[in-house]
Amino acid sequence: MRLSQSFIPTMRQDPGEAEVVSHRLMLRAGMIRKVAAGIYSYLPLGLRVLRKIETIVREEMNRAGAQELLLPILSPAELWKETDRWDFYGKELFRLQDRHERDFCLGPTHEEVVTDLFRREVRSYRQLPVTLYQIQTKFRDEIRPRFGIMRGREFIMKDAYSFDQDEEGAKRSYQGMYNAYCRIFTRMGLQFRPVEADTGLIGGISSHEFMVLANTGEELIVFAPDTQYAANVERAEIAPPAISEREAKKPLEKVATPNAKSVEEVCAFLDVSPCRLVKTLLYQTENDAMTAVLIRGDHQANEIKIQRYLGIHELTLATPEMISRFTTAPIGFVGPIGLPKVRILADHAVAALSNFIVGGNEPDMHLVHVNIDRDFTIDAIGDFRQAQAGDLSPRGGSPLQTARGIEVGHVFMLGTKYSEKMGATYLDAQGQTHPAIMGCYGIGVSRAAAAAIEQNHDEKGICWPMPIAPFHAQILPVTSSDEVRKTSDQIYTNLYQNGIEVLLDDREERGGVKFNDADLIGIPFHVIVGDKGLAQNTIEIKDRKTGEKFHVPREQVCEWITDIVKKRLESQP
RNA sequence: CGGGGCGUAGCGCAGCCCGGUAGCGCGCCUGCUUUGGGAGCAGGAUGUCGGAGGUUCAAAUCCUCUCGCCCCGACCA
């Protein structure tokens, strides 16, 4: 491709709208342009990267035995009503009506559509197992689209669905996809980590997320460095604290704490550490009931864990108005003692405390030297808080550490959640009817491109890993002599014939402009052709990522580049 | 959904408080000179000042409404 004839509009200045590195660099390198909030066009350079990622994904999905199909973007409300997700998915679902006022939505994921297909076509266990996948545009009306294509309202996803006869088969299918995902992200040249995850809106039994490690990632993960354990904080279990010797119980005491509402204020006022304080969080659950959850002052509640324990899908913190109606204390002074009859849950870390501090259930009052059982009773002890660095891993080993990641893949063991609701069944060898056991598996293709940039860039621009780079090499004629032009053209033609994807910067620009644009676009090798080098019959080759420079005799340049590109492409699992 | 901010040339911005008919840098076009890390000189083109309504002799500027975009938050007592 000749740059003079291609549509790669680079920008010198940072666009004002871009916050994160990948967003900024994708705009500047001419890969994407915004159409509306969270909606982007992919320009030729951006599309080439997507295609590279898609190709790797396809190859590995096919290798794992999955078959590609293409489901519609638009799907009828009826299917979504069968699984209750028409209501449950909420505002994130893009809904629309046709001219007859029939309800439709733009697919955010395709469990319903694929399960519908399955139940129409599959009758017998002889047709199982089967895994189907597609690569397609998805729609989610995100509460706040941001970070360019990282969290858009329209994005490209590979989604796969497996159907099995039994648990064992389902586990094999799951493991097959898990392994394929590891290969895919390794082949893409990304540093990643699979972590245990929550199942969220998709539901199901268990799941793993694939996180590209990057400090700018939206997700927080915890891991034990000396074991395999790693999990999203939403999910991460915490081992109960070792039982230490209890302090002698001191007499309960009421103290005035004027205007001290927050943990920090109370601790500052009483001059104690937040780990001596217990927060009483009042939650409203699905059936309008109240539940109090006790969490240590230096910890954070994990609503997903609380929901899972209570077996409910909706959990909201009580509003200040509700609190003042329900209790005798304003917000900030709620405590478990003297609370109207509610269920009280206590986190493990709270249960291990003696002589702690709670809200006094009256304005400007707290209680100190509080002890469970003596002063009030609780209904359950459990793991209700968010993991943080230093907590104990549930699988033993050293304390947990935290890292940030970008979720680029997610695999779910679904079980029969969809097949039962939708009647997706098969007949076994005995003629018995069973619901198929399902799994579903997503990869954010467009997000993976952004994640790759977050992980591979420097102050000048992108540094693409070879397997997903839009081109393998870029030729920069940096002076304008006939000799330089002729040599550049020759190298271009030869590399092209060798099957190397090569970009030739034949624009009439000065060297500096070409160098800077090349660094910005980030193609792995730059072939710098100038009179200086030609005088010694050499050509300079620069490795974009390391900055390493090689002076290669002119006759050997094509061979040199071809060899190194092939080598880099082959560094696969 | 709540709060904050911004919409002025392709991009980045100034002008708005204090009304007088639009400017800077980069880019773009032409010419000459230059040419290994974002060239110099000379000349040139480009604006429904996000949209609608209002106030005024006069509105980018003041008022009202509206649309779009960005950021923060969405309740940890």
Side-chain angles (χ1 to χ4, degrees), chain A residues 26 31-32 40-58 135-137 149 154-158 188 443-453 464 467-471:
Chain A
M26 287 179 101
M31 295 177 64
I32 58 169
Y40 291 83
S41 295
Y42 292 95
L43 278 42
L45 203 63
L47 183 61
R48 288 184 76 98
V49 173
L50 289 185
R51 292 289 184 248
K52 292 271 173 100
I53 296 171
E54 287 173 6
T55 300
I56 293 173
V57 169
R58 264 198 191 93
I135 295 175
Q136 200 217 41
T137 300
I149 64 169
E154 177 182 323
F155 57 97
I156 298 170
M157 181 163 145
K158 185 285 304 176
M188 282 173 61
I443 289 180
V445 172
S446 40
R447 181 183 281 182
I453 295 172
W464 289 110
I468 59 172
F471 291 90

Side-chain angles (χ1 to χ4, degrees), chain A residues 220-222 231-236 302 305 386-388 402:
Chain A
L220 191 61
I221 67 177
V222 297
N232 192 313
V233 279
E234 289 180 348
R235 170 82 198 185
N302 180 325
K305 288 179 178 176
Q386 194 140 94
Q388 54 193 41
T402 60

Side-chain angles (χ1 to χ4, degrees), chain A residues 27 50 103 122 166 192 194 353 358 366 389 406 419 432 522 530 533 540 561:
Chain A
L27 286 166
L50 289 185
D103 288 320
V122 176
D166 49 34
F192 70 98
L353 287 177
V358 300
H366 278 78
I406 300 164
S419 50
Q432 298 288 305
E540 183 182 318
I561 288 281

Side-chain angles (χ1 to χ4, degrees), chain A residues 14 107 126 165 183 247 260 280 302 342 379 454 485 517:
Chain A
D14 276 337
R126 291 172 200 274
Q165 297 186 54
R183 293 181 61 94
E247 295 170 28
T280 305
N302 180 325
V342 283
D379 295 278
E454 291 292 333
R485 195 182 47 74
D517 268 352

